[in-house]
Amino acid sequence: MSSEASPSNVIPTPRKLLSRKQLRKVPITIHTVIVHSHSALHDQYSWLPDVLRLKNSIVGHILGPVLTVTLFSAAIVYAHDKGKPVTLTNSVTPLLAVVVGLILVFRNGTSYDRYYEGRKSFGSITSQARNLVRLIWVQVALPPSDDTTGKTPSTDITPLQLRRRKSDALKLVLSFVYAVKHYLREEDGLDWDDYAGVIPESFLRSQSSRQSRRSSVSMGYNAVSEHGSNAVDSRSASPGLSRSASTDGSATPAATKRVRVKRSSDNVPTTRSPLIEHSAVDFQAYNNVSMPFPLVIAHEIARMLFAFRRDGLLETVGPAGVNTMNTTVSNLVDQLTNVERIANTPIPKSYGIHLKQCVTLYLFSLPFTMVNELGWATVPIVTIVSFTFMGIEGIAEQIEMPFGLDESDLHRYCSDLKEEINYIIEKLPEGGVGGYGWDDGEGDD
């Protein structure tokens, strides 16, 4: 037996690095993992590319104000060169800088807290939706066929019909997440492209049936009409209550009452959704109040769980399984309330206005205190200082509302969840069909 160790038995000692000769004996797979791991760690951190990057930076947002301060400082330096008395003492500016710095730190911290809490709450919504989808797909099943006690309800539902009902339930859970996204953005109605293929047709038909029985109601949640979306831009709404025009031109409360959108954005869909082309739905069943659409979907999910229990489709999991599903629905509503609270409680406008006034006062006073000693060097220094201060405030303004329309906002979360649920429906197996017996809570029969 050869005394030389085989390549597969070469194990690096922890006290020293491998020599080149030993490294050649290491299996190619391990060597590849080492090289790839080193390359991945090396590519994770970059400095100079981020310094020179303009996309996704705050430069475009603050370019105008920074240029204004730069031109003003250049004018002060020019006046100083012409012999004008434009110098000021440098004893007050440091005190103002301390105050401005403290306000900026508090402003940035408060905005990031809102951003973090909003994303955490929406992440909890995604987590609860995943749990509910899994429970419905696995635990909703036909009742056991070998029951001899007569306690298990009988049903005429076929496996194909059950699968269709479960698919609608999963899509309804997905619709809740999409509805929360549009609700937080104050985008009313169903005339949005991403609703296509998400909201189940059974839900639309049931709402149409209820509307036909309540056609005498003249005021309510006008989410969608046969004339298209009734959503209007929130900029024309009165403070504290957004309005949406009904088909006759009268104003009615919008579904997303009290919720303000991140910066002024057009909430009217530019294209007509294929979902609305095939089903003219007019939600006017919620009298005299604007019912948030996510709560309507949560109500429908609870009704579907009740129907599953009534039809004997949850007998294999018993009351504990039913309570778990209902608790998950309650958790979805709780998280909806959390994100609604964040959207309804923005940072006071007076705080942001006062901060900008203080920053502007400080930046416009800098040239007067620096021009006597630095001359034209004052211009680039003031530009750098204004870029730093205004950039911090601009970042805080961008992240204070975590439910906006930026690339890093909620669209990716909803799209990923949609792919997961579609994969569950198409690829993953359902729960057993009456194969696990039934426990009536009275012990072994």
Side-chain angles (χ1 to χ4, degrees), residues 346-401:
I347 297 177
K349 289 292 184 182
S350 58
Y351 183 84
I353 293 174
H354 183 69
L355 172 60
K356 292 179 179 178
Q357 290 173 343
C358 291
V359 171
T360 303
L361 178 63
Y362 172 73
L363 294 177
F364 275 80
S365 64
L366 275 182
F368 296 99
T369 61
M370 300 172 62
V371 64
N372 193 33
E373 298 179 357
L374 300 179
W376 282 100
T378 301
V379 178
I381 293 178
V382 171
T383 301
I384 294 174
V385 174
S386 61
F387 172 79
T388 304
F389 279 43
M390 292 181 176
I392 295 175
E393 201 285 329
I395 293 173
E397 183 180 354
Q398 281 194 347
I399 67 176
E400 68 177 351
M401 187 60 177

Side-chain angles (χ1 to χ4, degrees), residues 7-201:
S8 60
N9 295 328
V10 175
I11 301 176
T13 59
R15 291 193 177 97
K16 62 180 181 179
L17 296 175
L18 292 175
S19 65
R20 182 175 300 178
K21 182 178 180 181
Q22 289 175 322
L23 187 60
R24 283 198 293 265
K25 296 179 181 180
V26 176
I28 186 63
T29 54
I30 300 179
H31 182 267
T32 304
V33 170
I34 294 175
V35 173
H36 286 181
S37 300
H38 174 74
S39 177
L41 292 175
H42 178 73
D43 293 340
Q44 285 179 356
Y45 184 79
S46 63
W47 184 276
L48 186 59
D50 288 340
V51 172
L52 303 177
R53 182 175 294 132
L54 295 179
K55 183 180 180 181
N56 298 327
S57 69
I58 199 65
V59 174
H61 187 64
I62 64 172
L63 182 61
V66 171
L67 289 179
T68 301
V69 176
T70 301
L71 294 176
F72 177 80
S73 62
I76 296 300
V77 175
Y78 178 79
H80 179 266
D81 286 349
K82 294 298 182 180
K84 303 293 182 181
V86 293
T87 58
L88 294 176
T89 179
N90 196 23
S91 60
V92 180
T93 305
L95 298 177
L96 186 60
V98 173
V99 175
V100 171
L102 291 176
I103 297 177
L104 282 175
V105 170
F106 180 77
R107 159 76 160 153
N108 190 64
T110 304
S111 298
Y112 186 80
D113 286 343
R114 288 173 51 83
Y115 179 85
Y116 175 76
E117 187 177 358
R119 290 308 173 84
K120 186 171 73 171
S121 297
F122 201 87
S124 297
I125 293 177
T126 304
S127 176
Q128 296 295 335
R130 287 170 171 170
N131 290 331
L132 184 57
V133 162
R134 185 186 68 253
L135 293 175
I136 293 176
W137 194 247
V138 174
Q139 296 186 0
V140 177
L142 294 176
S145 58
D146 55 349
D147 179 59
T148 58
T149 62
K151 297 180 180 180
T152 303
S154 59
T155 180
D156 297 331
I157 299 176
T158 64
L160 183 59
Q161 292 173 338
L162 176 60
R163 181 181 179 86
R164 188 181 302 113
R165 289 178 60 178
K166 290 164 63 174
S167 299
D168 288 346
L170 265 59
K171 290 183 178 180
L172 205 58
V173 175
L174 177 61
S175 301
F176 178 87
V177 181
Y178 273 87
V180 170
K181 179 188 73 171
H182 289 292
Y183 173 70
L184 294 173
R185 294 177 177 177
E186 209 172 45
E187 298 170 345
D188 300 336
L190 298 179
D191 202 0
W192 301 94
D193 292 337
D194 54 0
Y195 274 145
V198 173
I199 299 181
E201 293 292 337

Side-chain angles (χ1 to χ4, degrees), residues 236-389:
S236 61
S238 58
L241 180 66
S242 62
R243 313 287 290 182
S244 61
S246 60
T247 55
D248 58 357
S250 60
T252 58
T256 48
K257 56 183 182 295
R258 302 183 306 277
V259 178
R260 297 268 66 82
V261 199
K262 175 184 178 181
R263 295 188 293 273
S264 297
S265 60
D266 191 2
N267 295 331
V268 181
T270 57
T271 59
R272 190 166 177 81
S273 171
L275 176 67
I276 310 303
E277 293 288 349
H278 301 287
S279 58
V281 183
D282 190 3
F283 292 98
Q284 291 183 349
Y286 312 101
N287 310 3
N288 304 323
V289 295
S290 70
M291 183 72 171
F293 190 44
L295 292 183
V296 179
I297 297 179
H299 177 79
E300 191 67 19
I301 294 174
R303 289 182 67 251
M304 294 188 75
L305 294 179
F306 175 80
F308 287 149
R309 176 64 171 167
R310 179 196 60 198
D311 296 338
L313 303 176
L314 289 172
E315 297 300 327
T316 54
V317 296
V322 178
N323 292 336
T324 301
M325 294 184 189
N326 287 323
T327 301
T328 307
V329 177
S330 299
N331 291 336
L332 286 173
V333 176
D334 292 341
Q335 295 301 326
L336 168 64
T337 305
N338 288 338
V339 295
E340 186 183 38
R341 171 181 54 83
I342 297 172
N344 292 341
T345 315
I347 297 177
K349 289 292 184 182
S350 58
Y351 183 84
I353 293 174
H354 183 69
L355 172 60
K356 292 179 179 178
Q357 290 173 343
C358 291
V359 171
T360 303
L361 178 63
Y362 172 73
L363 294 177
F364 275 80
S365 64
L366 275 182
F368 296 99
T369 61
M370 300 172 62
V371 64
N372 193 33
E373 298 179 357
L374 300 179
W376 282 100
T378 301
V379 178
I381 293 178
V382 171
T383 301
I384 294 174
V385 174
S386 61
F387 172 79
T388 304
F389 279 43

Side-chain angles (χ1 to χ4, degrees), residues 208-231:
S208 299
S209 176
R210 293 174 193 173
Q211 168 57 25
S212 63
R213 295 195 301 267
R214 296 180 174 90
S215 58
S216 60
V217 178
S218 59
M219 183 176 182
Y221 175 22
N222 292 331
V224 180
S225 72
E226 60 183 0
H227 299 288
S229 175
N230 292 322

